[in-house]
């Protein structure tokens, strides 16, 4: 009872044309539900449940208005919604919490749709909700879907405005489809030319709670194996002219110096005295462009060794290419690398760091290394024939090859001293086991070593002309410091006898990513076909990424350069944008002006008759109906009266009555074919003839 | 306080409205809306739309989210295109107004406005507005026309001129309100407001009452109905028939002929001429209800003795236009 008391007066005050109709509320509710649907994947379960509950109440209330909560309950629900978001995220300002709150409030507004204004507010805010979703997902599919939602909201706004003549959504849909089509060129112009920010204005904290798949900055048994079965994209690379062989594609990432007995961590030497990384010798650089997925880390991947620093990046002393900001969005950069090189020799401090040993080095590890150093052992003559460092490296690699080391992605679990257990007991593992234990053995032998994480190889996409590197291409290798040669890359994993590579797991788990380390025979035609299809899909995705997701200020600058307006900088862009937008709008107006709504065939025939009569100097006046026109023609040109009269006698009842049949149309068109009026005077007869023949 | 500011605002509006261009009627009496006579301003929903777009733009720019920008630009472009559609929806609209039958001051003068969608485009959501009432949106099919009745309150006798009508649209999305003022020459005659009561008009002594048995309109007995002709008294219009959409029909009366009476300006002694006219109007109405033949004497004008609706109408017109130019 109280409810009706509080609501009734308010509703009475709303003018009739501001009161929304039932179907308008229904469609708006459905559109809100559709806009929230893809969001459910990212929202906390309890927030989704709350949204669903409110939507359900709204739909029920359409049938039973009594189910609509009154103002007091609505206030309670609003608090409940806020509390629900807080309970789920502990904040409502971050990306997750903020968008959850936005969705909650929009849905709650659905319970209060007294006027069309309320509906308009909900519809306009749906645009905002759509944009927020792009912070979570940038796929083509979602873009298409949200484009449809946008079209829906334009349609409903049109429907709310009314005055369209017919009932139902169809007229509004027709209007909004026209609006959308005409808006597309303008959208493209704005998208291409609207000046972008090169750095964010503020940061509301992109949540770091949501972990991104990718490489971590430490190495512990088991880390990379997670990646190895992950077919997700790491980055795409496009080479300027030639693509090196796959086994040359060592994509260099973080460098690890420190070993605590189990984990390898960065612990790079302090760089204050270290000058930027220097290469003493190098081959011709190769150039390539990388489009990298966000990692929330600073490192970028470049081929061993990077020699150029793209804008906003720097090369660290241990030759890592580092971005100045964590990579939170798709990152594109042009890099240059040399494939053969000689690094400068580091100083003593660095050398000491690269020799630091954990405290769990076992005697049998030392014995193994000693055995490589002096293969003769403690010879009877006691003479030591000590091998040099590089020979020792070769012997270590030979050891991995000769002994029963297995490559597998599902190695047995290792205990407290993984390196020891791996070397002498389990003897099966993958790159991180090999690289970790190899680097450790080198340090025991007195050869400075460090681990490099990154990716190896990548799949060539012939359609797109680029190389796809997936998480499953993740790899770890070792660099050893050799006197006179600098840091030298050694890949102990590659030393494993190919016959002992167990790629069974890889075949099962990877499916998608075939890496260079495993030559998965692609004998089956079906497999090849599937692969082509997959590559084609990837090409489309890459194009989408390249031209839409990653379009940036640099691309705009490049565009300006190409137009010869590079010197104008951002102003030029702004001027160009204003010009282009005006021109596009002008074009749209022209289209509007010249547009003819579809005429029925009857009217087309009449228009042809009028054109022919106009050709002999008797145009129809704008206000003249067919009857008046016919009488005027008959008065001015009695010779045409029969023809015109005959036409009109058929046309008028067909047009204004209800007797329009295909036969009528046919007869009218026949009449028209025979009707070739000639101008009266001899002088203009020629002109009339020309016009008539043109008109036919 | 708020009333003062309201009336101030109204006056300001009226002042600015006065500055706006009017669509002049063409030689055929039809005003066709030209591009430069259309004004557009965002509605409240339009401002809201713009504000949300701005937030979307800033957010997308800040997070360098190109898809967000794409959607923002799409919706903003739709808004811009919608603005042009609103403008275009009025462009070339043909408007013609004409006055309705006379009314008494204080009643609402009726005007009929014909809005035609010449050419090949339908027009959506056309609203005609005079003096801030909430109009009903109409849809006009291509080549069609819509008739919209406007009722305008009157205060003074004489010709009530419509002068201009606001033609408005919020098509297509309700984000922009486009409007234009169409100047019209339509006018409706407003009779003086009849005084509540008036003294009995003096009988003319010169003529003796001569009974007639000719059939004249204006007497008591109901004879039947006929179609409305200009000049018929609105008092005889059969409003019930009009409400049943049978058009304007006038009830005819006839019967016994009465006496003769002169309604005379000079016989009244009210000092204010308008009050005097009100009294005269009441006298005309009273007398014409009976079967009396009557005449009207005004300073500088005389309407001779006669009877019937047309005569009454003529007398009332004299009173309405007394002291005005006869146009």
């Amino acid at each position: 009872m109280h409810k009706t008391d509080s609501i009734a007066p308010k509703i009475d005050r709303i003018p009739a044309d501001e009161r929304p109709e039932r179907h308008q509320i229904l469609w708006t509710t459905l559109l809100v539900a559709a806009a929230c649907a893809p969001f459910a994947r990212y929202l906390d379960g309890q927030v989704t449940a709350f949204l669903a509950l409110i939507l359900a109440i709204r739909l029920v209330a359409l049938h039973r208005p009594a189910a609509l909560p009154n103002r007091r309950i609505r206030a309670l629900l609003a608090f409940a919604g806020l509390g629900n978001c807080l309970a789920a995220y502990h904040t409502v300002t971050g990306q997750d919490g903020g968008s959850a709150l936005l969705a909650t409030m929009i849905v709650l507004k659905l319970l209060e749709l007294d006027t069309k204004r309320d509906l308009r507010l909900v519809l306009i805010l749906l645009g905002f909700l759509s944009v927020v979703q792009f912070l979570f997902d940038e796929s083509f599919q979602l873009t298409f879907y949200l484009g449809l939602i946008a079209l829906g909201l334009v349609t409903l706004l049109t429907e709310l405005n009314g005055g369209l003549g017919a009932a139902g959504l169809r007229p509004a849909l027709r209007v909004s489809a026209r609006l959308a089509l005409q808006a597309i060129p303008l959208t493209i112009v704005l998208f291409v030319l609207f000046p972008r920010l090169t750095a964010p204005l503020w940061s509301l904290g992109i949540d770091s709670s949501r972990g991104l798949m990718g490489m971590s900055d430490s190495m512990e048994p088991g880390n990379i194996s997670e990646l190895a079965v992950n077919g997700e994209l790491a980055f795409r690379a496009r080479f300027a002219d030639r693509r090196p062989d796959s086994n040359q594609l060592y994509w260099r990432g973080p460098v690890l110096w420190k070993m605590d007995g189990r984990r390898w961590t960065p612990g790079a030497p302090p760089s204050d005295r270290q000058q930027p990384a220097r290469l003493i010798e190098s081959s011709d650089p190769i150039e390539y462009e990388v489009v990298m997925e966000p990692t929330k880390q600073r490192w970028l991947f470049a081929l061993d060794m990077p020699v150029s620093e793209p804008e906003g990046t720097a090369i660290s002393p241990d030759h890592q290419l580092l971005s100045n900001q964590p990579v939170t969005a798709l990152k594109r950069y042009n890099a240059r690398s040399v494939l053969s090189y000689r690094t400068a020799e580091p100083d003593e401090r660095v050398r000491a760091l690269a020799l630091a040993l954990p405290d769990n080095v076992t005697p049998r590890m030392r014995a193994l290394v000693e055995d490589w150093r002096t293969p003769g052992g403690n010879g009877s003559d006691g003479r030591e024939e000590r091998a040099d460092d590089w020979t020792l490296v070769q012997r270590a690699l030979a050891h991995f090859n000769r002994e029963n080391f297995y490559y597998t992605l599902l190695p047995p679990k290792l205990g407290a001293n993984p390196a020891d257990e791996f070397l002498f007991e389990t003897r099966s593992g993958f790159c991180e086991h090999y690289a970790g234990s190899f680097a450790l053995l080198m340090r025991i032998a007195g050869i400075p070593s460090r681990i490099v994480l990154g990716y190896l190889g990548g799949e060539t996409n012939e359609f797109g002309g680029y190389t796809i590197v997936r998480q499953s291409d993740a790899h770890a290798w070792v660099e050893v410091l050799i006197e006179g040669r600098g840091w030298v890359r050694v890949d102990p994993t590659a030393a494993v006898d190919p016959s002992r590579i167990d790629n069974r797991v890889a075949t099962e788990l990877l499916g998608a990513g075939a890496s260079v380390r495993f030559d998965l025979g692609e004998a089956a035609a079906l497999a090849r076909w599937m692969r082509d299809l997959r590559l084609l899909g990837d090409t489309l995705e890459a194009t989408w990424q390249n031209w839409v997701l990653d379009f940036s200020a640099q691309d705009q600058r490049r565009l300006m350069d190409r137009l010869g307006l590079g010197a104008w900088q951002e102003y030029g862009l702004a001027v160009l944008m204003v010009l282009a937008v005006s021109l596009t709008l002008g074009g749209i107006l022209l289209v509007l002006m010249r547009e003819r709504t579809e005429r029925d065939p009857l009217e087309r025939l009449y228009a042809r008759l009028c054109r022919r009569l106009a050709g002999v100097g008797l145009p129809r006046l704008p206000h003249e109906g067919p009857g008046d026109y016919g009488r005027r023609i008959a008065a001015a040109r009695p010779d045409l009266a029969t023809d015109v009269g005959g036409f009109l006698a058929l046309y008028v009842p067909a047009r204004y009555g209800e007797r329009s049949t295909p036969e009528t149309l046919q007869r009218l068109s026949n009449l028209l074919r025979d009707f070739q009026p000639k101008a009266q005077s001899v002088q203009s007869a020629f002109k009339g003839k020309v016009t008539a023949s043109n008109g036919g | 306080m708020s009333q003062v500011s309201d009336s101030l605002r109204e006056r300001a509006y009226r002042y600015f409205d006065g500055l706006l261009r009017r669509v002049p009627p063409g030689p055929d009496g039809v005003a066709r809306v030209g591009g430069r006579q259309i004004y557009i301003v965002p509605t409240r929903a339009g401002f809201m739309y713009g504000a949300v777009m701005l937030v979307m733009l800033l957010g997308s720019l800040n997070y360098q989210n190109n898809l967000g920008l794409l959607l923002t630009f799409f919706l903003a472009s739709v808004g811009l295109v919608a603005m042009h559609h609103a403008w275009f929806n009025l462009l070339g609209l043909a408007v013609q107004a004409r006055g309705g039958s006379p009314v008494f001051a204080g009643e609402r003068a009726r005007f009929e406005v014909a809005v035609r969608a010449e050419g090949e485009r339908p027009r959506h959501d056309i609203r005609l507005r005079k003096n801030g009432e909430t109009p009903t949106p109409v849809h006009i099919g291509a080549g069609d026309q819509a008739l919209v009745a406007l009722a305008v309150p009157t205060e003074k006798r004489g010709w009530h001129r419509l002068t201009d009508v606001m033609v408005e649209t919020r098509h297509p999305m309700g984000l922009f309100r486009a409007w234009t003022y169409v100047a019209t020459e339509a006018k409706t005659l407003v009779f003086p407001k009849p005084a509540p009561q008036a003294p009995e008009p003096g009988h003319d002594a010169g003529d003796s009452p001569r009974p007639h048995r000719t059939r004249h309109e204006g007497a008591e007995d109901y004879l039947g109905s006929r179609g409305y002709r200009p000049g018929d008294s609105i008092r005889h219009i059969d409003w019930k028939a009009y409400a049943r959409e049978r058009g304007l029909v006038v009830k005819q009366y006839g019967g016994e002929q009465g006496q003769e009476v002169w309604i005379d300006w000079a016989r009244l002694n009210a000092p204010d001429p308008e009050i005097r006219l009100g009294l005269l109007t009441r006298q005309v109405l009273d007398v014409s209800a009976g079967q009396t033949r009557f005449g009207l004497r005004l300073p500088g004008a005389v309407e001779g003795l006669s009877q019937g609706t047309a005569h009454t109408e003529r007398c009332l017109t004299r009173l309405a236009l007394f002291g005005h130019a006869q146009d």
Side-chain angles (χ1 to χ4, degrees):
Chain A
M1 275 295 101
H2 180 262
K3 187 178 95 181
T4 46
D5 286 349
S6 64
I7 287 180
K10 194 181 170 196
I11 287 182
D12 285 345
R13 266 182 279 125
I14 301 165
D17 69 331
E18 262 297 291
R19 243 173 271 162
E21 288 170 45
R22 194 163 156 268
H23 77 272
Q24 292 169 339
I25 296 182
L26 173 67
W27 281 112
T28 306
T29 308
L30 292 180
L31 193 67
V32 170
C36 288
F39 223 3
R41 283 177 296 165
Y42 302 104
L43 291 181
D44 197 277
Q46 67 190 84
V47 175
T48 314
F50 186 81
L51 297 183
L53 171 76
I54 302 294
L55 284 168
I57 292 179
R58 174 71 262 185
L59 288 176
V60 169
L62 270 178
H63 294 281
R64 301 168 163 274
L68 205 61
N70 63 25
R71 190 180 291 179
R72 200 173 297 170
I73 296 185
R74 283 205 301 260
L76 281 178
L77 280 173
F79 277 115
L82 178 65
N84 192 33
C85 290
L86 278 173
Y89 296 104
H90 308 293
T91 171
V92 287
T93 51
Q95 182 185 329
D96 292 326
S99 19
L101 187 68
L102 179 68
T104 306
M105 289 303 144
I106 289 178
V107 169
L108 276 169
K109 181 72 187 161
L110 288 177
L111 297 179
E112 192 190 6
L113 300 178
D114 296 333
T115 62
K116 288 188 175 176
R117 210 177 127 219
D118 296 325
L119 279 173
R120 288 198 182 102
L121 179 68
V122 168
L123 289 170
I124 290 171
L125 284 177
L126 269 193
F128 192 52
L129 187 69
S130 302
V131 162
V132 166
Q133 296 195 32
F134 286 131
L135 292 178
F136 295 85
D137 182 354
E138 296 196 308
S139 69
F140 179 79
Q141 294 89 320
L142 185 75
T143 313
F144 183 74
Y145 183 81
L146 291 179
L148 288 183
I149 298 281
L151 186 65
L153 80 86
V154 171
T155 308
L156 283 181
L157 279 176
T158 308
E159 164 65 20
L160 276 178
N161 192 55
L164 296 168
L169 269 188
R170 190 166 297 177
L173 199 60
R174 199 172 303 142
V175 169
S176 67
R178 276 183 62 203
L179 282 176
L181 275 181
Q182 288 167 2
I184 283 174
L186 205 57
T187 310
I188 294 171
V189 167
L190 279 171
F191 182 79
V192 173
L193 296 178
F194 196 93
R196 302 294 204 277
L197 295 176
T198 40
L201 291 173
W202 77 90
S203 173
L204 255 180
I206 294 271
D207 290 358
S208 49
S209 55
R210 239 162 0 100
L212 285 179
M213 206 56 199
M215 195 157 282
S216 73
D217 63 350
S218 66
M219 192 180 83
E220 197 180 346
N223 269 2
I224 289 183
S225 68
E226 274 174 30
L227 293 180
V229 294
N230 179 353
E232 271 180 39
L233 182 71
F235 56 88
R236 295 189 178 90
R238 187 187 299 274
F239 291 95
D241 32 45
R242 65 190 170 88
R243 178 189 190 269
D245 291 339
S246 282
N247 58 11
Q248 291 283 305
L249 295 180
Y250 281 87
W251 301 98
R252 191 182 179 88
V255 179
L256 311 180
W257 295 76
K258 217 171 142 225
M259 163 64 161
D260 67 356
R262 188 173 175 86
R263 270 161 62 96
W264 285 86
T265 46
S271 56
D272 50 356
R273 284 176 51 225
Q274 276 271 332
Q275 287 309 300
R278 276 186 304 127
L279 296 181
I280 292 172
E281 288 170 14
S282 60
S283 59
D284 289 341
I286 56 169
E287 290 186 33
Y288 52 96
E289 183 192 63
V290 176
V291 181
M292 196 174 108
E293 296 285 308
T295 56
K296 294 188 177 168
Q297 304 284 1
R298 282 184 55 209
W299 60 69
L300 305 175
F301 293 95
L303 278 183
D304 230 2
M305 287 289 190
V307 290
S308 71
E309 296 180 348
E311 201 183 308
T313 69
I315 294 178
S316 73
D318 47 7
H319 299 276
Q320 298 180 56
L321 186 59
L322 292 174
S323 162
N324 297 342
Q325 305 285 332
V327 182
T328 52
L330 214 62
K331 170 97 182 164
R332 177 155 50 152
Y333 51 93
N334 287 299
R336 255 199 339 260
S337 293
V338 291
L339 294 183
S340 62
Y341 52 84
R342 186 154 79 89
T343 66
E345 303 266 339
D347 63 14
E348 271 315 306
R349 264 177 10 136
V350 174
R351 186 181 281 272
L353 200 72
L355 281 171
L357 284 172
D359 47 16
N360 60 354
V361 175
T362 55
R364 53 181 173 177
M365 286 161 78
R366 289 186 192 282
L368 182 65
V369 172
E370 194 51 37
D371 188 40
W372 292 335
R373 190 61 94 179
T374 53
N378 302 346
S380 51
D381 53 355
R383 231 175 50 219
E384 288 187 1
E385 197 188 317
R386 291 183 69 84
D388 67 355
D389 286 354
W390 187 242
T391 315
L392 192 134
V393 168
Q394 297 304 321
R395 285 184 181 157
L397 289 176
H399 174 79
F400 280 124
N401 181 270
R402 201 175 53 243
E403 300 296 320
N404 274 335
F405 279 94
Y406 284 90
Y407 187 97
T408 173
L409 282 173
L410 291 177
K413 283 249 181 289
L414 297 175
N417 194 341
D420 182 76
E421 280 174 52
F422 167 70
L423 281 171
F424 301 104
E425 283 156 35
T426 64
R427 289 197 169 182
S428 52
F430 46 93
C431 58
E432 60 184 31
H433 299 85
Y434 287 95
S437 50
F438 186 86
L440 189 60
L441 289 173
M442 289 303 108
R443 288 188 177 187
I444 295 170
I447 306 172
S449 64
R450 59 191 187 190
I451 303 275
V452 184
L453 298 181
Y455 297 90
L456 172 60
E459 185 178 14
T460 310
N461 185 334
E462 296 88 356
F463 301 103
Y466 55 84
T467 300
I468 309 167
V469 179
R470 296 196 170 78
Q471 297 298 353
S472 52
D473 295 319
H475 194 46
W477 61 91
V478 182
E479 281 181 337
V480 290
L481 187 62
I482 303 292
E483 195 70 39
R485 292 178 61 184
W487 291 101
V488 179
R489 182 178 69 220
V490 180
D491 188 353
T493 318
V496 180
D497 191 322
S499 67
R500 289 198 293 269
I501 288 178
D502 169 22
N503 61 20
R504 206 180 52 237
V505 181
T507 328
E508 277 169 21
L509 294 180
L510 286 178
S515 93
V516 284
R517 274 166 290 144
F518 325 107
D519 187 18
L520 300 178
E522 288 178 320
L526 185 68
R528 206 160 36 234
W529 188 73
M530 288 297 287
R531 180 176 171 277
D532 283 356
L533 208 64
R534 194 162 44 74
L535 288 178
L536 194 65
D538 191 84
T539 309
L540 292 179
E541 202 188 315
T543 313
W544 174 246
Q545 252 189 14
N546 211 8
W547 290 104
V548 180
L549 294 188
D550 193 38
F551 190 80
S552 64
Q554 285 99 303
D555 294 283
Q556 292 181 324
R557 226 168 296 147
R558 229 169 289 157
L559 179 75
M560 292 298 282
D561 284 340
R562 202 168 299 170
L563 291 174
L565 304 171
W568 291 18
Q569 305 280 341
E570 279 82 8
Y571 299 107
L573 199 63
V575 169
L576 196 67
M577 181 184 76
V578 171
L579 271 178
V581 166
S582 318
L583 278 178
T584 316
L585 270 177
I588 292 169
L589 266 186
L590 266 184
V591 169
L592 276 180
M593 296 279 203
R594 309 179 118 232
E595 193 176 47
R596 297 271 181 275
T597 44
E598 211 173 298
R599 278 191 290 183
D600 72 355
L602 208 56
E603 278 184 79
R604 269 207 300 274
L605 289 171
Y606 180 58
R608 258 164 75 193
L609 176 83
C610 296
R611 270 205 303 278
R612 293 209 184 151
L613 288 170
V616 296
L618 287 168
R620 187 175 72 91
L621 301 178
H623 58 83
E624 239 172 359
D628 295 336
Y629 189 33
R631 274 189 289 281
R632 191 160 60 85
I633 298 286
R637 293 283 302 272
D639 56 316
L640 299 179
T642 340
D643 287 344
V644 174
F647 182 94
L648 292 179
L650 264 177
Y651 167 75
V652 172
R655 172 85 178 87
Y656 299 100
E658 286 163 40
R659 286 190 288 149
S660 174
T661 59
E663 292 88 78
T664 325
L665 283 177
Q666 190 53 50
R667 282 175 63 194
L668 279 174
S669 126
N670 288 346
L671 280 177
L672 207 58
R673 200 182 50 218
D674 302 333
F675 179 63
Q676 304 288 353
K678 291 185 174 57
Q680 255 174 338
S681 70
V682 181
Q683 202 173 16
S684 56
F686 178 67
K687 192 180 155 205
K689 203 172 190 170
V690 171
T691 316
S693 60
N694 280 350
Chain B
M1 187 62 204
S2 78
Q3 266 185 340
V4 171
S5 69
D6 270 4
S7 85
L8 261 181
R9 192 155 46 151
E10 221 159 88
R11 276 171 60 187
Y13 273 140
R14 209 166 299 161
Y15 175 73
F16 284 115
D17 278 355
L19 297 180
L20 300 181
R21 294 190 198 94
R22 259 61 178 168
V23 182
D28 52 354
V30 180
R32 291 185 176 79
V33 179
R36 288 171 54 77
Q37 293 137 355
I38 301 173
Y39 300 90
I40 302 188
V41 155
T43 58
R44 225 144 92 174
F47 279 116
M48 201 156 66
Y49 191 82
V52 171
M53 290 301 118
L54 196 66
V55 173
M56 283 161 64
L57 177 72
L58 284 179
S60 303
L61 275 181
N62 192 58
Y63 289 121
Q64 309 189 340
N65 190 310
N66 269 345
L67 291 184
L69 279 178
L70 195 66
L71 193 75
T72 308
F73 290 146
F74 175 68
L75 286 176
S77 303
V78 167
L80 269 178
V81 172
M83 183 176 82
H84 287 79
H85 277 245
W87 177 82
F88 200 57
N89 196 33
L90 289 186
L91 186 71
L93 207 61
V95 183
Q96 189 172 23
R98 60 169 190 259
S101 46
V103 294
F104 290 97
E107 293 178 343
R108 286 166 165 266
R110 290 166 42 84
F111 291 92
E112 196 172 60
V113 186
V115 187
R116 223 173 25 254
E118 291 178 347
E120 288 148 356
R121 293 183 289 127
R123 309 303 177 113
H124 311 282
D125 184 38
I126 299 289
R127 304 162 194 226
L128 263 61
R129 202 190 273 270
K130 182 77 189 175
N131 297 343
E133 287 165 57
T134 313
T136 328
V138 292
H139 170 89
I140 309 169
D144 250 347
Q145 78 166 10
L147 290 176
V148 181
L150 286 179
V152 185
T154 60
E155 284 167 9
K156 282 185 278 183
R157 69 186 172 88
W159 287 113
H160 188 97
R161 286 166 207 284
L162 189 58
T163 62
D164 51 30
V165 187
M166 183 196 275
V167 184
E168 190 188 296
T169 186
R170 292 175 189 203
H171 180 77
M173 287 161 72
L175 302 182
F176 293 91
R177 169 174 163 268
W179 78 97
T180 185
Y181 281 106
V182 176
T184 81
E185 284 158 5
K187 54 187 183 181
T188 292
L189 189 61
V190 180
F191 299 144
K193 184 179 176 132
Q197 53 201 22
E200 193 87 349
H203 293 250
D204 192 273
D207 288 308
S208 60
R210 279 181 294 141
H212 287 269
R213 284 226 37 114
T214 44
R215 281 227 338 233
H216 275 291
E217 294 156 316
E220 278 304 316
D221 298 333
Y222 176 68
L223 293 176
S225 297
R226 63 165 171 79
Y228 173 84
R229 284 199 294 261
D232 283 347
S233 164
I234 60 157
R235 288 162 60 89
H236 290 157
I237 289 175
D238 187 350
W239 291 113
K240 284 183 184 163
Y242 182 71
R244 287 195 292 270
E245 297 182 358
R246 280 169 46 205
L248 282 174
V249 170
V250 177
K251 288 180 184 167
Q252 282 181 292
Y253 299 92
E256 286 298 323
Q257 202 64 38
Q259 318 137 283
E260 290 173 349
V261 143
W262 278 99
I263 297 168
D264 198 342
W265 168 277
R267 279 180 186 240
L268 296 170
N269 51 10
D272 181 47
E274 291 301 323
I275 292 177
R276 217 183 266 216
L277 286 169
L279 291 167
L280 290 171
T281 307
R282 169 53 61 199
Q283 288 179 340
V284 169
L285 292 177
D286 287 349
V287 171
S288 67
Q291 298 145 24
T292 317
R293 280 162 55 80
F294 65 95
L296 174 67
R297 284 199 197 105
L298 292 174
V302 174
E303 197 69 52
L305 282 169
S306 183
Q307 201 182 21
T309 325
H311 176 63
T312 310
E313 195 98 342
R314 275 196 301 279
C315 293
L316 288 173
T317 306
R318 289 255 184 224
L319 290 170
L321 299 177
F322 176 70
H324 292 206
Q326 297 281 317
D327 54 350

